[in-house]
Amino acid sequence: MSRLDWLSNRGTPLRGEVVVPGDKSVSHRALMFGALAEGVTHIRGFLEGEDTRATAAILGELGVRFETPAPGERIVHGVGLHGLRASARPLDCGNAGTGMRLLAGLLAGQAFDSTLVGDESLSKRPMRRVTDPLAAMGATIETQDGLPPLVIRGGAPLRGIQYTLPVASAQVKSALLLAGLYADGSTEVIEPHPTRDYTERMLAAFGWPIEFSPGKASLEGGHALRATDVDVPADFSSAAFFIVAACIVPGSELRLRSVGLNPRRTGLLAALELMGANIEVENERESGGEPVGDLVVRYAPLHGVALPLDIVPDMIDEFPVLFVAAAAAEGMTTIRGAAELRVKESDRIASMAAGLIACGVNVEELPDGAMIVGGRIGAGSIDSHGDHRIAMAFAVAGLVADGPITIGDCANVATSFPGFVELANGVGFALKGEAA
């Protein structure tokens, strides 16, 4: 992937309607469950990003046939729970941490060996949090001192366990539930804080008996998945950049259509409302087991807050752009309880703190968060460290900065949000990209 830098300037008040790409988490899971189901699954609203395409390519390597009748659509010809076949090559997850962790659980129950690899960034992300509990279920997985590649030895009989996650993680929970499909007995996952329940909702939609409530999920092995059609909602994490942008740019009013509003995903809305944001939810409905609605966001002056700890797990991916909202708000915002940000695509606490400081913002970095004194964002030059969410967050910061913000290493935005620059500029951003 060639290097791409951005230049973000003040634009115009943000106006119009935005339809952001489909939810990445739902897209990953729809591919996997469709592949393991009996019958044909039609996916609409599929995210055409590099992460999700990597998962589709892996499943193709394992013998699943896909059709692409149009962009954003996939027809998945399921092979059943035991119909996957071995790949002669390592399975490349690219930059997709979700893909690698979920596939580790899925492949732990197969009769054949598999090797999961990733790009340079993914190869530095910790995997013991998922491989250790899978090992407790009977899986044999070899790592490089806890890091990828993952060599998963097939043929190991899995047994259901009750497992309490030491750190709340929807990805680890999902990996264990996927392994639990192949396990003898019951698999129960208990969380210290409730996380996103995409996997639980989708398993139910595909006909697998599962019991779940906030913070707990359990299922028995030995059933079957039945193909079903999936309408993927717009990705809340992608919508978040436009939500914050409209909150902080005077004169803005944006409507975001068909956004996924899973309550374990939308902590950013609660945080922004505490800060004084003007956000309305309209046309609430349910699609494929997931709550969906239209968001109308209007500019309102924001003020700093001490972020409540109980909403932190519901907004982990949205913290980079929340840092920008805090920098634009009057007063101090204190963020604690977000240590997981240090092991995402980059150390997002360090990356955001360094970037904001480079733009003249007063930031004190904490082990599990930051204290940000808002009110003014200056011009600056920052490094996104190849992290798509850092890059897009500073694109938003440039809308209200005193001068241009140069953002280095933005090519990975294509992993989660293809077409971001064009969509952003269409509603009032002033964002330019150039190969470096």
Side-chain angles (χ1 to χ4, degrees), residues 75-334:
I75 295 174
V76 189
H77 295 265
V79 297
L81 207 61
H82 301 283
L84 298 177
R85 63 168 187 253
S87 169
R89 301 181 288 193
L91 302 168
D92 189 356
C93 298
N95 189 244
T98 299
M100 180 171 282
R101 291 191 176 110
L102 268 61
L103 285 165
L106 187 159
L107 293 170
Q110 306 304 321
F112 50 82
D113 294 352
S114 302
T115 300
L116 294 173
V117 300
D119 68 6
E120 182 180 0
S121 171
L122 183 54
S123 297
K124 297 175 182 175
R125 296 180 68 179
M127 291 293 154
R128 280 204 177 103
R129 61 166 66 181
V130 67
T131 60
D132 284 354
L134 287 173
M137 296 179 72
T140 301
I141 304 177
E142 300 163 12
T143 68
Q144 302 295 311
D145 196 25
L147 302 175
L150 307 184
V151 179
I152 303 166
R153 301 298 180 188
L158 302 183
R159 59 187 177 274
I161 60 171
Q162 183 186 77
Y163 186 75
T164 300
L165 294 174
V167 177
S169 168
Q171 292 179 5
V172 177
K173 173 179 64 174
S174 297
L176 300 183
L177 293 174
L178 278 163
L181 305 182
Y182 295 90
D184 182 29
S186 174
T187 298
E188 182 176 31
V189 183
I190 300 168
E191 305 172 287
H193 305 286
T195 64
R196 304 168 188 176
D197 56 3
Y198 294 127
T199 296
E200 298 94 307
R201 289 171 181 261
M202 195 172 290
L203 281 170
F206 275 81
W208 196 282
I210 180 170
E211 295 181 4
F212 62 97
S213 57
K216 182 182 291 188
S218 64
L219 55 75
E220 298 271 348
H223 298 281
L225 294 167
R226 299 188 299 274
T228 187
D229 291 349
V230 178
D231 290 315
V232 180
D235 193 304
F236 183 85
S237 291
S238 295
F241 301 100
F242 291 92
I243 294 168
V244 170
C247 284
I248 66 175
V249 177
S252 296
E253 181 174 333
L254 278 185
R255 179 180 294 271
L256 293 97
R257 293 283 189 188
S258 300
V259 178
L261 297 177
N262 187 300
R264 299 279 70 84
R265 186 73 177 269
T266 53
L268 178 69
L269 294 183
L272 290 172
E273 285 167 4
L274 287 172
M275 298 172 77
N278 182 350
I279 303 170
E280 295 181 17
V281 182
E282 298 181 350
N283 193 22
E284 292 185 75
R285 56 204 184 275
E286 192 166 284
S287 176
E290 287 293 329
V292 174
D294 301 337
L295 300 179
V296 180
V297 188
R298 300 177 179 90
Y299 166 75
L302 301 183
H303 55 81
V305 297
L307 196 69
L309 286 173
D310 61 353
I311 65 174
V312 168
D314 297 339
M315 57 179 300
I316 285 296
D317 283 339
E318 289 71 53
F319 270 105
V321 78
L322 178 72
F323 274 53
V324 172
E330 286 295 331
M332 179 182 288
T333 295
T334 303

Side-chain angles (χ1 to χ4, degrees), residues 359-374:
C359 296
V361 180
N362 184 347
V363 181
E364 180 183 346
E365 186 178 333
L366 304 172
D368 60 346
M371 297 171 68
I372 302 165
V373 180

